[in-house]
Amino acid sequence: MRRAPLTSLALCALLTLVGCGDKAWQTKDIAPLMPPLAFTLIDERGETVEAGHYRGDVTLLVFGYTHCPDVCPTTLARLAGQLRSLPAERRDDVRVLFVSVDPDRDDPERLAAYTDAFGPAIVGLTGRPVQLDALTKRYRVTYGYGDKDAAGGYAVSHPSGVFAFDRVGDARLLIRDGDGPEAVRHDLERLLAEEG
Amino acid sequence: MPESTEPSILATALHWLAPWEFEPLWGLACLAALGIYWRGVRHLRTLDPGAPPTGWPRHATLLLGLTLIYVVSQTRYDYLAQYMFFPHRAQHLVLHHAAPFLLVLATPPRVLAAGLPAWASSTHRLARPLLDLLQHPLVAPLLFVGLIAFWLIPSVHFDAMLSRRLYQLMNWSMLLDGLLFWWLVLTPHGRLGPGRRILLLLAVIPPQILIGAYLTFSPTVLFDVYEVCGRAWPLAPLVDQQIGGLITWIPATMMSVLGTLIVLRQLRLGDSQGRRHPSSPAHP
């Protein structure tokens, strides 16, 4: 049976290519694609904070801005609801990091007020453009600014995906808008069940 | 938009010329192609001084092709191509159509043969069965259109944009397949006669029209990766997709028309040369 390893190798390569690696996850498995969580940003108290500060918990990384009309509030409300649906003893082990890519308008106070509205598990972060660029490039995402309107407001394009990291900070999942609440809950519970 | 201090011209130029993700293979491949071409031109001049000279239009065509490849793969343009659909389609139009088209036009087989180092011919012999397969008149057009379609399968497209390695694989596969296809259909006295070459050029038009029209007229956003990973600037997703569809549709198929005109011109030139030298045997 010399052919068997070759065939399975080819099959594996094909499966990796079309992205159906581990069927047990119901959202997008990004373990082989993305590096562990690392950043230097500014927290809600205006102090510099490193990714290591949040290690030990399952971390969900969300990008947005507080003037966001639709995507960000929807995502944060959805995530907050999902955390509430988790078993009580697990709930406190998940932290949502909401990174504002609009530091000009989102100062630490504004961020704190915004994230508090969604619950205690949601933490606001922002940073100088250099810090934000380093983080977004690391996860192959980006953001950009639209033209200013008469009132000085402007739209910001930002990633809608939510990156999930396990307790040791390894990148594990990418949750998309289209993923159903059941799928997200299933994957979060599985991630929480892993030992850190 | 956040205010920023006005950057100097030099800083702006560096910002646009610096690679978004440094992949030395692109630059090295462009330099190698330039080296082979230059060596071929010089060798031909010494070997056969009576041969028709390779003038500056050829040099300029080659330089334009290589510059285009470098610009879309190793400058700030690559950033736009990763975070916006229509610049990505334009990138593939260059890698799969325009640049290989120009490179093949600039390099007649005799220049390539004279320019390649000696060890290349033994490698060529080894790769011969693979080339025979990839340039088979039934396989080549299928591969040409199939590759466009494959990387546009939404789940495949998603992974390619998310993974640096797959992204590189995608772009290299487009360039290499482009070189294989345009080499096959634009080279006179090569593998195929002019009739078949025109047939292949025409055969790839309808599927490209279908793919382009499908993208352009789709009422929904087909590729959520630009949503998930963010866009370079806030452009409406459907507009982005429609422009991308038009790029896949119109300029891409126009290249086939251009190619056909070039084959017809080769045919006419070949005929008139044949009449002028009736004793010389006709090429197969």
Side-chain angles (χ1 to χ4, degrees):
Chain A
M1 293 297 284
R2 271 190 64 240
R3 193 177 284 235
L6 257 183
T7 317
S8 52
L9 196 74
L11 204 65
C12 278
L14 198 71
L15 283 177
T16 321
L17 208 63
V18 296
C20 1
D22 191 348
K23 266 291 162 218
W25 296 105
Q26 295 182 5
T27 61
K28 172 88 187 159
D29 181 4
I30 54 161
L33 300 180
M34 294 281 168
L37 187 61
F39 58 73
T40 305
L41 291 172
I42 298 163
D43 68 8
E44 289 174 353
R45 290 165 302 165
E47 283 165 21
T48 301
V49 64
E50 307 259 344
H53 182 71
Y54 302 105
R55 205 141 294 165
D57 288 342
V58 167
T59 307
L60 303 179
L61 185 65
V62 187
F63 297 91
Y65 64 117
T66 63
H67 287 78
C68 186
D70 40 28
V71 181
C72 312
T74 318
T75 306
L76 288 180
R78 211 185 55 199
L79 285 178
Q82 244 138 19
L83 295 192
R84 276 194 296 275
S85 77
L86 289 172
E89 71 275 13
R90 293 276 192 219
R91 205 174 298 162
D92 296 337
D93 291 358
V94 185
R95 195 181 273 110
V96 180
L97 300 181
F98 176 76
V99 178
S100 166
V101 291
D102 186 18
D104 271 25
R105 286 186 293 186
D106 292 343
D107 52 37
E109 299 83 59
R110 191 181 160 90
L111 258 179
Y114 185 77
T115 55
D116 284 352
F118 294 99
I122 321 262
V123 176
L125 294 171
T126 186
R128 287 180 287 114
V130 196
Q131 296 171 325
L132 292 171
D133 288 350
L135 177 64
T136 49
K137 189 168 182 182
R138 188 174 173 87
Y139 295 101
R140 299 183 68 78
V141 297
T142 198
Y143 60 95
Y145 304 106
D147 293 327
K148 272 188 182 170
D149 61 23
Y154 52 91
V156 178
S157 58
H158 62 88
S160 71
V162 178
F163 290 86
F165 299 83
D166 61 20
R167 292 176 192 271
V168 290
D170 283 334
R172 300 299 295 274
L173 301 167
L174 177 55
I175 301 166
R176 298 187 250 180
D177 289 346
D179 292 323
E182 271 312 304
V184 176
R185 206 173 73 120
H186 168 273
D187 282 5
L188 279 183
E189 281 185 7
R190 193 176 150 190
L191 212 51
L192 281 164
E194 290 181 5
E195 286 306 311
Chain B
M1 198 166 149
E3 308 296 339
S4 55
T5 48
E6 205 59 45
S8 71
I9 297 173
L10 188 70
T12 313
L14 271 179
H15 171 80
W16 279 97
L17 287 178
W20 169 245
E21 283 178 333
F22 180 56
E23 293 282 349
L25 204 53
W26 289 101
L28 289 176
C30 288
L31 282 179
L34 192 64
I36 290 168
Y37 176 81
W38 188 58
R39 189 163 175 260
V41 169
R42 281 181 46 131
H43 272 209
L44 270 190
R45 212 176 285 157
T46 46
L47 283 176
D48 182 7
T54 42
W56 65 266
R58 277 195 197 280
H59 305 332
T61 309
L62 184 97
L63 278 179
L64 180 64
L66 292 179
T67 309
L68 279 173
I69 292 176
Y70 188 83
V71 166
V72 297
S73 63
Q74 285 294 286
T75 65
R76 186 79 184 180
Y77 183 84
D78 187 42
Y79 165 77
L80 295 179
Q82 289 190 28
Y83 295 107
M84 213 66 136
F85 185 67
F86 86 83
H88 150 77
R89 291 317 303 157
Q91 181 190 48
H92 276 199
L93 181 69
V94 166
L95 291 178
H96 197 220
H97 290 69
F101 188 97
L102 293 172
L103 295 188
V104 167
L105 278 189
T107 321
R110 58 198 169 87
V111 172
L112 188 66
L116 282 169
W119 53 264
S121 66
S122 54
T123 318
H124 182 237
R125 258 197 304 280
L126 284 175
R128 187 83 200 194
L130 183 66
L131 278 179
D132 283 346
L133 173 70
L134 295 180
Q135 292 198 320
H136 187 278
L138 286 178
V139 177
L142 271 178
L143 196 64
F144 187 79
V145 177
L147 217 50
I148 301 176
F150 174 76
W151 292 114
L152 284 172
I153 297 169
S155 63
V156 175
H157 195 77
F158 191 91
D159 281 17
M161 286 297 170
L162 213 60
S163 150
R164 184 167 172 173
R165 266 180 316 173
L166 270 185
Y167 178 75
Q168 290 299 324
L169 179 71
M170 168 173 78
N171 285 354
W172 276 106
S173 71
M174 292 311 267
L175 176 63
L176 293 178
D177 178 59
L179 284 169
L180 280 176
F181 182 81
W182 295 106
W183 178 255
L184 180 68
V185 296
L186 292 182
T187 310
H189 322 305
R191 231 170 247 270
L192 302 178
R196 281 196 177 184
R197 292 193 278 134
I198 291 179
L199 206 63
L200 288 198
L201 279 164
L202 299 182
V204 296
I205 292 181
Q208 290 188 88
I209 290 181
L210 277 180
I211 297 173
Y214 179 70
L215 297 174
T216 309
F217 295 122
S218 168
T220 54
V221 176
L222 298 165
F223 306 99
D224 66 341
V225 69
Y226 305 97
E227 230 50 63
V228 172
C229 294
R231 272 166 215 280
W233 73 88
L235 176 70
L238 265 184
V239 175
D240 188 14
Q241 186 165 295
Q242 284 156 357
I243 304 174
L246 288 173
I247 293 175
T248 313
W249 177 357
I250 295 164
T253 49
M254 285 301 291
M255 300 286 300
S256 273
V257 177
L258 262 180
T260 307
L261 290 177
I262 286 173
V263 176
L264 288 174
R265 182 166 170 273
Q266 288 169 352
L267 205 59
R268 233 190 55 219
L269 287 179
D271 271 3
S272 56
Q273 268 167 13
R275 269 198 297 279
R276 239 179 284 143
H277 312 286
S279 58
S280 67
H283 284 283

